[in-house]
């Protein structure tokens, strides 16, 4: 089959690889009909290279048609249309039963000290072959896949794999009071969808911050009060501008949908780039113990949120030696929640919104649809924020 493989920093290729097969009774194999390109994939494209191996198959946002199921998968059959969550979880361990499938005790990558295995996401998360491919082996298929109805196009449901539950959890963790306010830093796919969900769930005012004109216009079209980072000379000016809209206090919650790729510390970027050039035997341990993030977005979130407010961190961070303003965080009495989205924890709540009325705008959420063969160009376009790229779907 054809699949998108990682070959090095900013080097992805479409290669021919072996077709997946049933290996365990709880496996299924699906024929992929749509697969998303995620902002998290860009971390593998550039930042997390020490944890990658040439030939790794990328991608974790698929849906498709079940081709084959193992004997331990009672609720799926060939021909079922399914969305596959990005994490692999059993559904029956203590963590799964308590709404934390990202911490599944059956699939935890204990050798790396990490949580549940993920599709297409470095050796830290199990080096499981990913979903930007023609076919996908799905472990723990007795729990993971979400059956969806025939009829609507893939766009209606494919975001259940990651975008929708990630944005939904970001808003849930933000704990926005009824009629309250939230600021979303970063209006890429997750930030954009978090704004939409916040409005649907009752936030009175939703502020968005970005520096890409297309993303700002897209957010404004859905009622977001969008702030263009480029017009401010400093973080303080941006913070003051939003505070002026919230009685001088700041919003009740801030969602950081940027993460480690924020524009910020040149020193941190230099360390990230240097580690990617070192031999793998050195760069991996170095990154695990001493890696640092570019924390511009997080520092802005800490400064911006009102005292006693909540920070919800959904942008990916990977540092192990990050300096944080603990005095400010303690003095402001902030609550902070973060982590990978627990897809099956939220999927049943989200499904009623995926109707013909389309309150979340999923039917036209994708800005680009490309064949799998165009994956290298799609990665470059998305990484450089060219051609209005916000969400890219690939069709094998």
């Amino acid at each position: 089959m054809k699949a998108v493989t990682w070959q090095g920093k900013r080097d992805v290729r479409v290669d021919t690889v072996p077709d997946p097969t049933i290996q365990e009774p709880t496996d299924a194999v699906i024929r992929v009909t749509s697969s998303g390109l995620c902002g998290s994939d860009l971390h593998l494209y550039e930042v997390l290279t020490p944890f990658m191996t040439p030939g790794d198959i990328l991608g974790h946002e698929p849906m498709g048609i079940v081709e084959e199921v193992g004997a331990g998968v009672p609720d799926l059959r060939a021909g079922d249309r399914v969305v596959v969550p990005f994490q692999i979880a059993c559904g029956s361990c203590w963590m799964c039963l308590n709404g934390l499938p990202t911490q599944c005790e059956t699939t935890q990558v204990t050798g790396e000290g990490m949580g549940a295995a993920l599709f297409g996401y470095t050796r830290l998360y199990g080096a499981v072959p990913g979903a930007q491919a023609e076919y996908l082996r799905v472990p723990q298929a007795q729990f993971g896949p979400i059956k969806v109805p025939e009829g609507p196009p893939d766009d209606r449901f494919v975001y259940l794999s990651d975008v929708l539950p990630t944005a939904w959890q970001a808003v849930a963790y933000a704990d926005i009071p009824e009629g309250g306010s939230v600021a979303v830093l970063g209006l890429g796919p997750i930030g954009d969808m978090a704004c939409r969900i916040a409005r649907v769930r009752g936030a009175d005012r939703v502020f968005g911050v970005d520096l890409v004109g297309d993303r700002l216009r897209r957010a404004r079209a859905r009622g977001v009060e969008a702030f263009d980072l480029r017009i401010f000379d400093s973080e303080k000016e941006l913070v003051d501008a939003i505070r002026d809209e919230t009685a001088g206090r700041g919003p009740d919650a801030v969602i950081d949908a940027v993460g480690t790729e924020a524009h910020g510390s040149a020193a941190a970027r230099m360390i990230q780039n240097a580690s990617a050039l070192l031999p793998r035997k050195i760069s991996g341990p170095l990154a695990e113990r001493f890696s640092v993030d570019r924390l511009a977005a997080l520092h802005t979130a800490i400064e911006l949120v009102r005292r006693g407010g909540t920070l919800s961190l959904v942008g990916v961070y990977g540092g192990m030696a990050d300096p944080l303003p603990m005095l400010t965080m303690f003095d402001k009495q902030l609550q902070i929640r973060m982590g990978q989205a627990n897809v099956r924890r939220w999927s049943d709540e989200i499904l009623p919104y995926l109707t013909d009325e389309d309150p979340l705008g999923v039917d036209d959420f994708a800005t680009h649809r490309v064949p799998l063969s165009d994956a290298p160009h799609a990665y470059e376009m998305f990484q450089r924020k060219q051609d209005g790229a916000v969400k890219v779907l690939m069709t094998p």
Side-chain angles (χ1 to χ4, degrees):
M1 69 171 184
K2 297 295 186 181
V4 180
T5 65
W6 184 92
Q7 298 296 335
K9 182 176 179 179
R10 298 183 188 171
D11 182 3
V12 301
R13 305 174 194 174
V14 180
D15 291 330
T16 299
V17 302
D19 291 352
T21 60
I22 299 291
Q23 299 178 22
E24 301 290 341
T26 51
D27 285 353
V29 172
I30 72 164
R31 174 174 56 84
V32 178
T33 55
S34 291
S35 192
L37 173 54
C38 179
S40 297
D41 292 323
L42 296 184
H43 296 294
L44 312 183
Y45 191 63
E46 181 168 9
V47 179
L48 297 180
T49 56
F51 305 111
M52 299 295 291
T53 301
D56 283 349
I57 300 175
L58 300 173
H60 58 268
E61 296 187 349
M63 70 175 292
I65 306 299
V66 175
E67 292 281 303
E68 186 180 0
V69 297
V73 185
D75 296 326
L76 288 183
R77 64 189 59 170
D80 283 345
R81 190 186 193 197
V82 296
V83 178
V84 180
F86 69 89
Q87 74 245 184
I88 302 167
C90 72
S92 58
C93 70
W94 188 93
M95 289 290 180
C96 287
L97 292 174
N98 282 274
L100 292 167
T102 56
Q103 311 304 326
C104 175
E105 292 169 321
T106 300
T107 72
Q108 277 180 14
V109 187
T110 54
E112 300 287 351
M114 306 300 280
L118 309 178
F119 287 104
Y121 215 78
T122 83
R123 66 171 174 79
L124 295 180
Y125 289 99
V128 180
Q132 290 168 5
E134 293 180 307
Y135 293 91
L136 176 71
R137 171 181 167 252
V138 182
Q140 303 297 328
Q142 80 287 351
F143 174 68
I146 303 164
K147 287 196 281 190
V148 296
E150 297 293 337
D154 281 9
D155 295 52
R156 179 74 56 87
F157 303 113
V158 66
Y159 306 115
L160 280 170
S161 59
D162 185 348
V163 173
L164 282 166
T166 297
W168 193 276
Q169 179 171 294
V171 173
Y173 279 9
D175 197 24
I176 309 160
E178 184 69 26
S181 59
V182 60
V184 179
L185 306 183
L187 296 174
I190 303 302
D192 184 344
M193 185 56 72
C195 289
R196 301 178 187 206
I197 291 169
R199 290 183 60 82
V200 166
R201 294 189 57 168
D204 182 54
R205 302 190 72 180
V206 178
F207 306 100
V209 179
D210 208 294
L211 44 66
V212 180
D214 291 327
R215 298 182 177 192
L216 292 161
R217 287 188 289 273
R218 181 176 161 108
R220 289 185 183 116
R222 298 195 69 91
V224 176
E225 300 175 58
F227 288 76
D228 187 341
L229 190 60
R230 296 169 297 183
I231 71 172
F232 298 97
D233 292 329
S234 66
E235 172 201 57
K236 184 179 185 303
E237 285 190 11
L238 169 68
V239 169
D240 287 346
I242 298 177
R243 280 181 178 164
D244 286 345
E245 299 293 328
T246 54
R249 287 187 293 270
D252 298 304
V254 175
I255 295 172
D256 173 2
V258 178
T260 190
E261 289 199 343
H263 293 259
S265 169
R269 182 176 180 84
M270 180 180 69
I271 293 171
Q272 290 173 347
N273 289 338
S275 68
L277 298 175
L278 293 171
R280 289 174 49 77
K281 289 183 179 180
I282 300 173
S283 64
L286 178 68
E288 287 181 55
R289 296 186 60 188
F290 302 112
S291 56
V292 294
D293 292 300
R294 284 177 280 164
L295 297 173
L298 179 55
H299 283 285
T300 298
I302 292 167
E303 183 65 23
L304 176 58
V305 70
R306 69 162 170 81
R307 290 178 177 272
T310 301
L311 299 181
S312 176
L313 309 186
V314 65
V316 174
Y317 285 99
M320 291 293 286
D322 290 333
L324 292 173
M326 292 302 298
L327 173 62
T328 300
M329 295 159 66
F330 182 84
D331 180 65
K332 291 187 72 171
Q333 201 169 332
L334 302 183
Q335 301 179 72
I336 304 177
R337 298 193 71 181
M338 67 187 84
Q340 304 276 9
N342 298 288
V343 175
R344 292 307 302 265
R345 164 67 179 83
W346 309 109
S347 57
D348 288 347
E349 293 184 23
I350 298 168
L351 272 167
Y353 291 87
L354 305 183
T355 63
D356 288 343
E357 288 73 29
D358 195 19
L360 298 176
V362 295
D363 287 350
D364 60 359
F365 190 70
T367 54
H368 294 73
R369 295 170 181 80
V370 301
L372 192 70
S373 58
D374 283 354
H377 170 68
Y379 268 82
E380 182 180 9
M381 174 182 66
F382 190 37
Q383 196 266 345
R384 295 184 177 183
K385 301 179 175 64
Q386 295 174 334
D387 194 28
V390 177
K391 189 61 187 177
V392 181
L393 293 180
M394 299 180 191
T395 304

